[in-house]
Every structure is written in C-alpha cells, then in structure tokens.
Amino acid sequence: MPVIVVANPKGGAGKSTLSLVLGTSLASQGASVTLIDCDPNRPIVDWKAGPSRANVRVIGDVTESTIISVMQEESKARQFVIVDLEGTASRLVSRAIARASLVLIPLQGSAVDARQASRAVGLIREEEELVEREIPFRLVFTRTSAAIPTRIDKKIIASLEAASIPALQTHLHERSAYKAMFVDKLTLDELDPASVNGLEAARENAMKLALELVSVATKAKEAA
Amino acid sequence: MSTADPFGFSTANRVAAKIAEIEPESTKAAPASLAALDRVAEQHGFQSREAGEEKIVRRRREVGPSAQLNVKCPIPVYNRFIRFCDEERLPYWEGIEKLLDLAGVSQTGERKR
C-alpha cells in the first residue's frame, strides 16, 4: 500500500514534518520513496535543495488537475509515495484522498486541530461511498511530550476512542531534531548529535513510527 | 538507525525487513467521476483554490450601435425602477429590456396580446 496521503485542513498540525520524517526514515532503510509536496510554502522542495544525500525524490508544482496522474505515475515505480497536502480544505486535498491507499491525519493536542481533523474524517467517509472502497485512515498525534501526555492530549485521545476513530499508537514527539531537519536540510541520520539535542531519541521515535506505519500499510500483524 | 546492530534486533532492522516485502502498486483507481467527487468535497467545504477553472462567463453584452436615453420621471417611479434593477442585478438598459419583455413588446415593437 504505497500511496500515503498526509492531510489535515488545519495548518501547523505537523503534516510536513510527519511526511519528511517518515519519508526519510523509510528511505534510510532501503525503501524507494517519492515525496509530493503540495504545501504552497514548499517546505519539502526547499529541504531537497539542501545538502542531504537521502534517496528520496521530491516533486513540487502539483495542481488539482495533475495530482491524481502524478500519484498514479509515481506509485507504479516507487514503494512509497507520500503526499504532503496543504493545510486548507481544498479540491486538491479531496482528490488526493480519493486516490490514497492510506490517509494519515496529524493533529496536535488542541481543540482546533481535533475539529479540523474530524472534518477530514467526515470527507473521507463520504468519499468512501463514492469511490466504492474503504479509504483507510489513521490519526497521528504530533508534537506530544515524550515524557508525559498532557490532560488535553488524554481528553482528545479518549474522545477519539469513544468515537472509534483509529489512531496510530506511536506519536510524533516534540523534538528539536525534527526542526533541525528543516533548518539544516538533512535527515535524522545525517544530523550531528553534538549539535542537536535528543537526536538518538528522535531517531528511535521516527523508526517506531515508520515501523507502525509499514505494519498498518501492509496490514501485517506486528508482534509486540 | 546508524548504530551497529549485528543481530538485527533494532526497530530499524524490523522496518527494513518489512520494506523488503512491499512492492510498488498502482493507486486504487476510483470508479467515481471527478465531478461527483468534487461535488461531495464542496459540500464539506473543500473548494477549488486555483484560479482559472470554472470561471463563470459574464452574460453576453449587447454589441452594435447604442443610443443615449435620458428620462425625467417622478421620484417614486425612479425609486421603483432603480430598486428593480438592483434586486435583479441588471444594468438599467437590461432592466428596461426586461420590463419590455414582460409587457410583451417584441423586438420589432409589436405587442403580443
């Protein structure tokens, strides 16, 4: 299941960070990865212009009329296609979701993020009827504390569980290493542990997230 | 990721093993038409944000010679006419044309009765 679409109509939910962390982590383990950057700020296109030697292909300049054919074309040759969408409710977002094999909806522990995430879930559910297939999706908590979940986090997690909304067990923690990736335009492997705090913990977090993602994507049962 | 792992117990190694099983595949081609999909998206507030698509072309303007028509009329009639054109969103000349049409006056000036 190689086409993963990262969507939340709310800006700043962690879409680009999640896309880049997953894409580079999978590539570091030998996967062929294409990242499609649909964010108007082009953070991943910008990242690719840096010194990183990561084996990821980055495509920018995608419009609502080309998104589907680009996804289709890339998925023929690459093991993973990750689409980083714009933080708005747009036609491009809806079209990308319709062709996804898995939708990841990142959200921070805030009411605004959760509400916008539920908007994306609502759209996915209605699109499922239209395309006559299941569009699997998972919520992903981002920027959570690695040490202790806040009360707000717990409250949102509980409300998701009550509504049977599936979420990844692994969170993308708040780590300065993830910000450093964008600043230095490198992968977690390439960053210098001497200049980035908690780099090893970030690498482990990213790998755990990648493992859960691959497990979900292949629907393989992951032995704990 | 970069640490030595000769026995393959690390998370990274498990990721690598799983990746090896994955083969590229085409995205699911959806049977739904794009138009139907876009309609559903719009109901959820997911609208096109790109310029140049589905622009509504303004209705055709009259071409050919034109003439000026100045009319002095009582204020109440004036107000009625302006309000009518405002509500119908018509330029004045199209407002007059519409009233003529409603009165059954043909292009050649004959009246249908």
Side-chain angles (χ1 to χ4, degrees):
Chain A
M1 284 174 92
V3 181
I4 297 154
V5 163
V6 183
N8 184 335
K10 161 115 177 9
K15 287 180 290 294
S16 301
T17 307
L18 182 65
S19 302
L20 186 63
V21 167
L22 285 175
T24 52
S25 298
L26 291 168
S28 77
Q29 298 309 311
S32 56
V33 179
T34 294
L35 285 166
I36 303 178
D37 187 355
C38 300
D39 186 325
N41 297 322
R42 309 224 174 282
I44 295 177
V45 171
D46 197 38
W47 173 85
K48 183 68 180 165
S52 176
R53 301 175 68 188
N55 181 26
V56 289
R57 184 188 296 165
V58 176
I59 299 177
D61 300 324
V62 185
T63 64
E64 64 188 35
S65 50
T66 59
I67 179 72
I68 289 166
S69 54
V70 172
M71 285 167 74
Q72 209 93 8
E73 208 45 50
E74 287 303 306
S75 68
K76 281 181 197 161
R78 315 288 282 179
Q79 285 175 304
F80 292 90
V81 178
I82 300 177
V83 187
D84 175 24
L85 288 171
E86 52 187 355
T88 45
S90 73
R91 182 176 290 176
L92 188 141
V93 170
S94 131
R95 286 186 175 181
I97 287 173
R99 296 303 196 275
S101 16
L102 175 68
V103 182
L104 293 182
I105 307 170
L107 77 160
Q108 293 182 53
S110 87
V112 187
D113 279 47
R115 232 167 272 136
Q116 290 300 318
S118 87
R119 206 174 162 198
V121 172
L123 179 69
I124 291 169
R125 294 221 158 122
E126 202 150 331
E127 284 194 13
E128 281 180 333
E129 284 178 31
L130 212 60
V131 300
E132 293 169 352
R133 68 172 177 95
E134 192 199 351
I135 304 175
F137 68 91
R138 295 287 187 281
L139 267 61
V140 187
F141 286 93
T142 58
R143 306 191 66 173
T144 53
S145 158
I148 28 156
T150 65
R151 281 186 195 171
I152 309 276
D153 289 347
K154 284 184 192 160
K155 202 167 175 179
I156 292 175
I157 292 169
S159 77
L160 290 176
E161 277 169 4
S164 319
I165 306 278
L168 292 188
Q169 294 287 310
T170 317
H171 298 185
L172 187 73
H173 293 312
E174 172 77 44
R175 288 279 176 202
S176 61
Y178 298 143
K179 289 178 188 142
M181 288 175 84
F182 284 95
V183 174
D184 297 338
K185 298 175 182 166
L186 293 169
T187 66
L188 290 173
D189 277 343
E190 292 164 337
L191 285 169
D192 178 9
S195 62
V196 182
N197 285 331
L199 185 56
E200 205 43 58
R203 286 172 180 167
E204 188 56 35
N205 179 216
M207 228 9 108
K208 263 176 98 174
L209 198 61
L211 180 63
E212 193 179 352
L213 175 80
V214 179
S215 304
V216 169
T218 55
K219 288 189 174 159
K221 287 217 162 59
E222 169 60 15
Chain B
M1 276 195 246
S2 54
T3 45
D5 178 33
F7 306 109
F9 289 130
S10 73
T11 315
N13 227 295
R14 287 155 74 198
V15 174
K18 280 188 177 296
I19 286 171
E21 297 165 11
I22 293 178
E23 282 182 17
E25 65 172 72
S26 265
T27 41
K28 308 283 190 296
S33 76
L34 270 189
L37 185 72
D38 294 344
R39 226 174 8 253
V40 165
E42 264 170 43
Q43 283 161 11
H44 283 256
F46 287 68
Q47 293 183 340
S48 175
R49 290 170 53 81
E50 291 174 19
E53 262 205 327
E54 287 183 29
K55 237 184 197 166
I56 292 170
V57 180
R58 204 190 181 298
R59 62 186 174 277
R60 193 175 58 82
R61 304 304 301 247
E62 201 60 38
V63 287
S66 61
Q68 189 75 28
L69 172 67
N70 292 313
V71 184
K72 192 164 191 168
C73 67
I75 297 268
V77 177
Y78 173 90
N79 283 346
R80 272 175 74 194
F81 180 67
I82 302 297
R83 197 175 299 123
F84 167 73
C85 290
D86 250 15
E87 284 168 2
E88 300 287 316
R89 300 181 62 85
L90 294 171
Y92 298 152
W93 73 264
E94 284 183 21
I96 294 171
E97 188 184 34
K98 184 157 191 181
L99 293 174
L100 287 169
D101 287 348
L102 288 172
V105 181
S106 75
Q107 293 279 340
T108 49
E110 295 145 15
R111 297 194 64 177
K112 284 178 244 163
R113 277 281 170 194

